[in-house]
Amino acid sequence: MNAPTVTGEKDPNPTAANQTQIRTLARGNTEFGLTLLSSLAQDEPSTNQFISPYSISVALAMTYAGARGKTQKQMTETLRFSLEDATLHAAFGETEDQLAASNDDANSKKNVPFQLTTANAIWGQQNYPWRDDFLTTLKTYYDAGLHVLDFKENSAEATQTINEWVADQTEDKIRDLLPEGALNSLTRLVLTTAIYFRATWAEPFEKGRTTPQPFTALDGTTAEVPMMRQSESFPYATVDGHQVIELPYVGDEVGMVVILPKERTFEEFMESLDVDRLTSLLSGMDQQQGTISLPRFTIESSFELPTTLAELGMPVVFSNHADFSGMVDPAKTGEHLRIDDVLHKSYIAVDEEGTEAAAATAVEAVATGAARDPFTMTVDRPFYLLIRHRPTDTVLFLGRIVDASAAQSN
């Protein structure tokens, strides 16, 4: 099932971003990711959790392109966007290009099993007057074309179409990102991002050295798990009793960092882990010979993020006071947009050969009326009622109630 696509036009003179600005963006994304993960962990402290801060940031950055006023301000602060708008989108675009370049470079070498791909898409209600500059921004910097769907008349088919796109972009690792009923006749826009990664360790673990070893969980219980083991030279550091190691993948452009807090300090460490401390830990590593034992594991996570994002500082985005007039002119549609849901799914599998990981994020925008103060209606005097057939406006029942006490059942 393929939705028709309006390719859109790229800006012939796009804003450029330099390496310093790209690193500034990465720092903000990391800070947001650490904060988000910490907040999610508070809800389920004993549950494994895995997210893609990049996927979430990209999806929300595309949404941010249409935000204005207080909505834009809250998103700026919550998502840690410190660059000017045009430069911000340019930095995201350049980051995407560099990720693609790493993928192309690795695949240009023979016998190098490496894949790192990202994809973005806009799914918009057909015949909806989207602003040209909004679509141009997303096409220019995120390579996100507009796919036209009919949410009003067939939201179930739209859900299936988007889910199939996500599954295709993630090698079938992320399925059913949008659950049944997630979209409805009020849906006007869904922004999706997908990322897929599969790579072999630069120094694979020998399967023959993997043995059952005890692992003590956060709650103190102990169980045996398959523990991989190898001795090699790796970037490594010990800081205040905390151990940090980076396991590089083939090509040496991507690596997995493992941070092992000293015993009985995990929760305290996680509470204090911010972008500055993380930077300090990473910069303290140097090449050292040693032995690493690491569990073989697989994690699948799924999150609905509106409540968490609202608590982190952007509640207006999900309210009837949201301002996404940068996406569409309310005067042309007679309705305003707000974000109804932010859905995120992720997957990671780590074994002796390497790592496979995937993630996808969807941001759903729905129609709402103009922002108004909530009303109060107290039916404490005589009133009329009618029951009608809405498609034909046929009044099926009509009544008047002038004495509610007499209308009570015995």
Side-chain angles (χ1 to χ4, degrees):
M1 182 186 305
N2 294 315
T5 301
V6 178
T7 304
E9 301 255 343
K10 282 194 173 184
D11 188 338
N13 299 298
T15 301
N18 57 41
Q19 203 63 28
T20 298
Q21 292 164 332
I22 293 169
R23 289 184 178 276
T24 297
L25 173 68
R27 178 184 173 86
N29 288 345
T30 300
E31 184 178 359
F32 165 68
L34 290 172
T35 303
L36 178 62
L37 186 60
S38 177
S39 182
L40 292 171
Q42 291 176 11
D43 296 332
E44 296 181 298
S46 299
T47 301
N48 294 325
Q49 294 168 322
F50 179 67
I51 64 172
S52 170
Y54 182 73
S55 171
I56 298 169
S57 291
V58 169
L60 291 171
M62 292 196 295
T63 312
Y64 175 84
R68 297 293 183 267
K70 185 177 180 181
T71 301
Q72 184 183 52
K73 184 175 186 296
Q74 287 189 359
M75 294 185 76
T76 298
E77 295 171 352
T78 302
L79 300 173
R80 310 304 197 268
F81 290 162
S82 60
L83 300 172
E84 295 294 324
D85 290 358
T87 306
L88 173 80
H89 298 302
F92 268 112
E94 181 60 30
T95 299
E96 296 261 296
D97 289 345
Q98 292 188 24
L99 293 177
S102 293
N103 184 67
D104 293 342
D105 181 60
N107 283 289
S108 68
K109 303 171 184 176
K110 293 183 179 180
N111 301 318
V112 179
F114 184 97
Q115 185 177 353
L116 175 59
T117 56
T118 63
N120 308 310
I122 316 167
W123 310 86
Q125 173 63 39
Q126 68 180 22
N127 301 322
Y128 211 69
W130 303 107
R131 291 189 186 274
D132 288 339
D133 55 352
F134 172 66
L135 298 180
T136 296
T137 295
L138 269 57
K139 181 62 180 176
T140 300
Y141 300 112
Y142 301 90
D143 197 25
L146 175 65
H147 301 252
V148 179
L149 298 174
D150 190 357
F151 300 110
K152 290 183 179 180
E153 297 297 328
N154 202 335
S155 59
E157 182 176 322
T159 299
Q160 181 180 350
T161 298
I162 296 172
N163 282 339
E164 288 178 354
W165 180 90
V166 170
D168 183 61
Q169 299 299 325
T170 60
E171 301 292 331
D172 228 27
K173 293 303 176 183
I174 306 297
R175 300 181 60 82
D176 299 325
L177 174 63
L178 299 174
E180 184 178 351
L183 309 181
N184 55 51
S185 61
L186 292 178
T187 301
R188 297 293 178 266
L189 179 73
V190 177
L191 298 171
T192 54
T193 68
I195 181 169
Y196 179 79
F197 173 69
R198 184 183 181 93
T200 299
W201 302 118
E203 298 292 340
F205 292 80
E206 294 180 14
K207 290 186 177 181
R209 298 188 69 183
T210 299
T211 58
Q213 297 291 330
F215 184 92
T216 302
L218 187 60
D219 63 6
T221 59
T222 300
E224 288 195 340
V225 301
M227 191 74 72
M228 305 182 297
R229 179 182 175 89
Q230 70 165 292
S231 299
E232 191 56 64
S233 177
F234 294 107
Y236 172 86
T238 300
V239 181
D240 299 327
H242 310 302
Q243 294 178 284
V244 189
I245 192 171
E246 183 169 15
L247 306 177
Y249 297 99
V250 290
D252 289 326
E253 289 194 9
V254 183
M256 185 173 80
V257 174
V258 178
I259 302 175
L260 180 65
K262 63 182 179 182
E263 288 189 76
R264 293 182 291 278
T265 68
F266 181 83
E267 291 171 302
E268 175 189 339
F269 178 84
M270 289 301 296
E271 288 177 2
S272 65
L273 185 61
D274 58 16
V275 68
D276 289 327
R277 190 174 192 193
L278 178 61
T279 300
S280 177
L281 290 170
L282 298 181
S283 63
M285 291 190 297
D286 58 18
Q287 203 74 19
Q288 297 185 44
Q289 185 73 29
T291 300
I292 172 70
S293 297
L294 180 71
R296 192 170 63 206
F297 64 89
T298 299
I299 300 173
E300 294 183 67
S301 296
S302 179
F303 303 99
E304 291 189 27
L305 298 176
T307 299
T308 302
L309 291 171
E311 291 174 348
L312 291 179
M314 44 188 274
V316 72
V317 171
F318 305 99
S319 75
N320 287 351
H321 297 274
D323 183 355
F324 287 105
S325 56
M327 295 182 180
V328 64
D329 184 357
K332 292 184 177 180
T333 62
E335 57 190 26
H336 292 249
L337 297 180
R338 64 173 174 84
I339 302 304
D340 185 60
D341 213 343
V342 179
L343 300 165
H344 182 68
K345 277 192 172 184
S346 56
Y347 167 90
I348 183 171
V350 173
D351 61 18
E352 291 85 352
E353 296 181 357
T355 301
E356 183 178 29
T361 306
V363 179
E364 180 194 354
V366 300
T368 182
R372 300 174 183 173
D373 292 329
F375 65 84
T376 299
M377 178 178 173
T378 305
V379 184
D380 57 1
R381 53 189 179 274
F383 63 98
Y384 288 91
L385 65 82
L386 62 87
I387 299 175
R388 65 169 181 149
H389 178 235
R390 293 182 65 187
T392 61
D393 273 344
T394 302
V395 175
L396 301 176
F397 302 94
L398 176 65
R400 55 189 290 271
I401 309 298
V402 295
D403 185 355
S405 65
Q408 306 303 304
S409 60
N410 294 329

